[in-house]
Amino acid sequence: IYMNALEVGDGLNHGDVRFVWLSGAIAIFILVIACINFINLSTARSANRAKEVGLRKVVGSSRGHLINQFLIESVLYSVFSFLLGAVIASLAIPLFNGLVGKTFVFPWHEWWLFPALLVGALVTGVLAGLYPSFYLSSFMPIQVLKGNVARGSRNARTRSILVVFQFATSIVLIIGTFIIYRQMEFILNTKIGFDKDQVMLIQGTNLLGDKINSFKNELLTVRDVKAATVSDYLPVRGTKRNGNGFWNEGKKQTDPAVGTQFWIVDYDYLSTLGIRLAQGRNFSRDMPTDSDACIINQAMARELGLKEPLGKRITNYKLWTIVGVIEDFNYETLKDNVGPLCMVLGKSPSITSIKISTSDMPSVIQSITKVWKRFAPPQPIRYTFLDESYARMYEDVRQMGRIFTSFAVLAVIVACLGLFGLSSFMVEQRSKEISIRLVLGASVDSIFRLLTENFVKLVLISFVIAAPLAWYLMHKWLEDYVYRTEITADIFIIAGLIATFIALATISYQALRAATANPAQSLRSE
């Protein structure tokens, strides 16, 4: 029940099982990227192990024995990696808790931990070592012992495909990170129909009883307090809600009810929160009949089919006369359309909202606290701010952004480690070719292009694959929001440039070292 908020509408705090699946899926992808590194580096180093394979076959080793040897090596690497990973994970638990906003402890005492780690290590070791084992064990002794040991550098198609997969995954995560943060900025900065900035919410003002109006009036005498209102109903999650069915007058027996939020407010509610009137007027202290008046939003007028709503009467448990229509504003999250809303005068005294107009917030808070102490000496003041409460409604978006950023950085680092290893082996295997080119007059620039061109092509191919996939995944994610940012081309261009720059920076060291090396070092043995 806890992990399925969408299916269980109980109004309580819930987790989101999608975060669990998302984190698990990205972790598996990063593990696959690491396995690809092992495969690529094992096959790239095949030239270094070719003579070993040839000699073992000459003295009687079968291919099956060699496959078992290479698989055991792979599994041992995996087992040690898993043990080291478990230690690092246990040390990094505080960092992970901050990332996901939860409190986890490492389950050393659970019976299933070590069997699970062992099974994971065995499966990972076998999967990562399977292709290199068959590949390395396939060398023919006669070819190897003749000196044909460059096979690892020639058969690069498989390695290229795997590099493309690595960088495509990394680019998808980079693009996802940019779009999530852009949606977060859109949510926090878009016009939502009310003023959430510099609104202080004092909790527990119902303790004041009959003195609450005097408290509110006293607040208005504080310098830089612009307005104040008493109401538990606020346009942020966690405040009071009251669903009601409404009908037009005389239609209760014939028409279906319009599901509406029914809020109790005071005379200063609209002005304090900056909610604008589209038609009619606000509640007035000079109008005694306003005890039976209501103000509705434009969405409710549409749902009731009222083209000229002013003066019309609607009913729930009693008749109300519409005196004003306010512009629609989001009183729930931006994942939902604005629903019908009806406001009436009454007492709902647990929260007092104060609109402040100054940058010197500590001074105003101190003055407000003095007023509170005069009215409720034994009780400490408890307050929050409306914009902070609004931001907390979208903590899941912020959390997803942190997860994507962390995993994107980790995926890029792991992919670049593999790229660095591949480039170093490529330079090592082509060292004599590079030296001869230098002797014949090749420039440093031409050698650098020779060594980096293929890798840049692979990154560009990765981008072509990743861009539409990232667009589809993030488009599906944004469908959860009625109000959402646009997915624009600049995000993809920046992500592609970042991936290309990172790849170039990774291989440049090896390429420049080879291009500036002394040719005599490589050719002196020839």
Side-chain angles (χ1 to χ4, degrees), residues 469-504:
L469 179 60
W471 180 90
Y472 173 78
L473 293 174
M474 298 316 297
H475 180 74
K476 296 295 288 183
W477 178 72
L478 287 172
E479 283 181 352
D480 282 348
Y481 294 86
V482 173
Y483 303 88
R484 52 182 176 261
T485 188
E486 296 294 326
I487 302 178
T488 53
D490 61 309
I491 295 174
F492 297 89
I493 293 170
I494 293 171
L497 291 174
I498 289 174
T500 305
F501 173 79
I502 291 172
L504 272 175

Side-chain angles (χ1 to χ4, degrees), residues 112-360:
W112 50 261
L113 177 63
F114 287 102
L117 288 176
L118 182 61
V119 170
L122 292 175
V123 171
T124 303
V126 170
L127 291 178
L130 206 58
Y131 176 75
S133 299
F134 280 91
Y135 178 73
L136 293 171
S137 64
S138 66
F139 291 154
M140 299 299 294
I142 190 168
Q143 296 295 329
V144 170
L145 298 177
K146 278 182 177 181
N148 183 16
V149 296
R151 185 172 180 179
S153 61
R154 296 286 182 261
N155 189 11
R157 179 178 297 177
T158 302
R159 291 200 299 277
S160 297
I161 293 171
L162 295 176
V163 168
V164 167
F165 175 84
Q166 285 182 310
F167 272 88
T169 303
S170 301
I171 291 169
V172 167
L173 291 173
I174 292 170
I175 293 171
T177 300
F178 279 124
I179 293 174
I180 289 169
Y181 274 103
R182 181 169 287 188
Q183 175 67 6
M184 188 71 209
E185 288 299 310
F186 176 82
I187 287 171
L188 295 180
N189 297 304
T190 193
K191 292 183 178 179
I192 50 177
F194 65 92
D195 185 3
K196 64 182 184 297
D197 298 321
Q198 291 193 309
V199 177
M200 181 178 178
L201 310 178
I202 300 180
Q203 311 288 337
T205 52
N206 56 312
L207 297 172
L208 302 178
D210 295 338
K211 297 186 290 183
I212 193 163
N213 287 329
S214 300
F215 173 69
K216 175 184 168 183
N217 293 331
E218 192 71 19
L219 287 174
L220 295 174
T221 66
V222 174
R223 182 181 177 184
D224 296 321
V225 169
K226 188 176 178 182
T229 183
V230 180
S231 175
D232 299 349
Y233 297 88
L234 294 169
V236 289
R237 186 178 289 167
T239 57
K240 202 167 183 179
R241 293 292 180 267
N242 182 15
N244 264 235
F246 274 83
W247 296 264
N248 287 311
E249 183 181 16
K251 300 291 186 179
K252 192 169 184 177
Q253 304 302 322
T254 57
D255 291 351
V258 172
T260 303
Q261 277 296 312
F262 184 60
W263 290 10
I264 299 171
V265 301
D266 67 5
Y267 294 99
D268 303 304
Y269 188 90
L270 300 186
S271 58
T272 302
L273 297 183
I275 299 170
R276 292 181 292 273
L277 280 163
Q279 300 178 50
R281 62 175 177 84
N282 194 2
F283 297 117
S284 172
R285 291 179 176 85
D286 299 327
M287 302 285 290
T289 55
D290 276 2
S291 59
D292 294 324
C294 69
I295 295 174
I296 65 173
N297 67 352
Q298 293 169 319
M300 186 170 181
R302 288 192 299 271
E303 290 289 327
L304 290 170
L306 300 175
K307 295 183 178 179
E308 298 293 336
L310 296 181
K312 297 292 194 302
R313 298 209 294 179
I314 57 177
T315 182
N316 54 357
Y317 62 88
K318 64 176 284 188
L319 278 172
W320 305 93
T321 302
I322 300 171
V323 298
V325 179
I326 53 175
E327 295 180 2
D328 286 339
F329 65 91
N330 290 92
Y331 55 83
E332 296 295 349
T333 71
L334 295 180
K335 293 183 178 181
D336 306 310
N337 283 311
V338 177
L341 173 65
C342 177
M343 297 179 180
V344 300
L345 288 172
K347 290 183 178 181
S348 185
S350 295
I351 301 175
T352 297
S353 306
I354 307 166
K355 177 65 178 177
I356 298 169
S357 58
T358 182
S359 57
D360 186 14

